[in-house]
């Protein structure tokens, strides 16, 4: 093994390509620490830097047909740099995705809560309208659901305009009284 220490980098690389595990181990010993320091300068997380360097060595060992045009050291530093670029792209995408997901979840809860409250409130209004006296309910529904004017309602029901106006006014008073307490509770709940 001590003979491997005296070999040049490119000689070790040739032996490694022929499947010499000891040559690979010597390359690893020579460059692992330096590549790790280099990676730490570009990647803030030490574990990520270590993983990047390990990926380069795994690739080196598992691809014996790699062609190196210059020095092994130049190849390894370049490989680490490209792995870091890949890592940054993935983390940027992951970070953007997580931020987007957080925003959606934050907004989604709010949208869902508002939707549920809106449905509950609409249901409560329907219930309270159904409890109005029959003629008052009919006039209120014609006004609010069919969007008829007081004059049109009066003509259709053969009532005076004053009667329709009084029935609408009474319906609104009853509904205001019943729904105000619900609205106060909803606002207090929403604020807290």
């Amino acid at each position: 093994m001590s003979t491997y220490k005296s070999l040049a980098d490119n000689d070790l690389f040739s032996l490694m390509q022929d499947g010499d595990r000891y040559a690979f181990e010597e390359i690893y010993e020579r460059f692992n620490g330096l590549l790790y320091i280099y990676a730490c300068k570009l990647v803030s997380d030490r574990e990520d830097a270590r993983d990047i360097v390990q990926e380069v060595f795994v690739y080196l060992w598992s691809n014996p047909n790699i062609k190196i045009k210059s020095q092994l050291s130049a190849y390894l530093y370049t490989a680490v740099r490209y792995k870091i670029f890949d890592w940054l792209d993935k983390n940027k995408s992951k970070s953007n995705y997580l931020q987007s997901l957080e925003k959606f979840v934050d907004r989604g809860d709010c949208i869902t809560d508002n939707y549920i409250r809106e449905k509950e409130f609409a249901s409560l209004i329907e219930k309270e309208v159904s409890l109005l006296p029959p003629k008052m309910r009919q006039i209120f529904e014609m006004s609010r659901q069919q969007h008829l004017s007081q004059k049109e309602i009066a003509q259709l029901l053969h009532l005076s305009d004053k009667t329709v106006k009084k029935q609408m006014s009474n319906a609104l008073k009853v509904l205001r009284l019943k729904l105000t307490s619900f609205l106060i509770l909803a606002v207090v709940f929403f604020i807290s």
Side-chain angles (χ1 to χ4, degrees):
M1 312 285 167
S2 61
T3 58
Y4 287 98
K5 293 200 181 299
S6 63
L7 292 174
D9 297 340
N10 287 358
D11 293 335
L12 287 169
F13 182 70
S14 294
L15 289 170
M16 184 205 72
Q17 284 187 308
D18 291 335
D20 190 328
R21 186 181 60 136
Y22 298 113
F24 173 75
E25 288 176 5
E26 181 59 31
I27 292 170
Y28 183 85
E29 288 299 317
R30 285 185 191 180
F31 292 102
N32 181 48
L34 296 170
L35 294 173
Y36 173 70
I37 292 168
Y38 176 67
C40 283
K41 290 179 182 177
L42 302 171
V43 176
S44 58
D45 186 281
R46 292 177 183 259
E47 286 303 312
D48 289 331
R50 189 175 316 283
D51 290 346
I52 288 166
V53 172
Q54 293 306 312
E55 283 181 41
V56 168
F57 279 113
V58 167
Y59 182 80
L60 185 70
W61 176 249
S62 58
N63 291 287
N65 296 326
I66 297 172
K67 301 288 184 236
I68 295 179
K69 295 177 181 166
S70 62
Q71 296 296 314
L72 176 62
S73 58
Y75 171 82
L76 291 172
Y77 279 101
T78 302
V80 167
R81 188 168 60 247
Y82 282 121
K83 278 285 181 198
I84 289 171
F85 292 155
D86 287 345
W87 179 86
L88 290 172
D89 281 345
K90 286 178 189 171
N91 277 349
K92 184 177 178 186
S93 299
K94 191 189 313 180
S95 175
N96 289 344
Y97 173 74
L98 290 174
Q99 287 173 354
S100 172
L101 189 60
E102 281 178 18
K103 286 178 187 174
F104 173 76
V105 167
D106 289 346
R107 245 182 301 139
D109 286 347
C110 183
I111 290 168
T112 304
D113 287 349
N114 289 342
Y115 179 75
I116 290 170
R117 280 193 207 103
E118 190 178 304
K119 287 291 185 191
E120 286 175 355
F121 191 61
S123 174
L124 184 64
I125 290 171
E126 282 181 38
K127 179 184 167 214
E128 292 302 329
V129 168
S130 73
L131 295 174
L132 292 172
K135 186 59 85 179
M136 189 184 292
R137 184 181 75 228
Q138 183 182 17
I139 291 169
F140 182 83
E141 287 175 344
M142 289 174 84
S143 170
R144 295 301 188 246
Q145 292 173 357
Q146 297 172 20
H147 308 289
L148 299 174
S149 69
Q150 288 179 1
K151 189 172 190 159
E152 292 169 323
I153 295 169
Q155 287 174 348
L156 287 169
L157 297 180
H158 308 290
L159 299 170
S160 70
D161 286 354
K162 277 187 174 183
T163 302
V164 171
K165 185 175 182 178
K166 184 71 175 158
Q167 289 289 331
M168 277 299 297
S169 176
N170 288 342
L172 290 171
K173 280 180 190 172
V174 169
L175 292 173
R176 243 184 243 119
L177 281 171
K178 303 250 181 169
L179 299 175
T180 301
S181 58
F182 176 80
L183 284 174
I184 291 170
L185 286 173
V187 168
V188 167
F189 177 76
F190 184 71
I191 291 171
S192 62

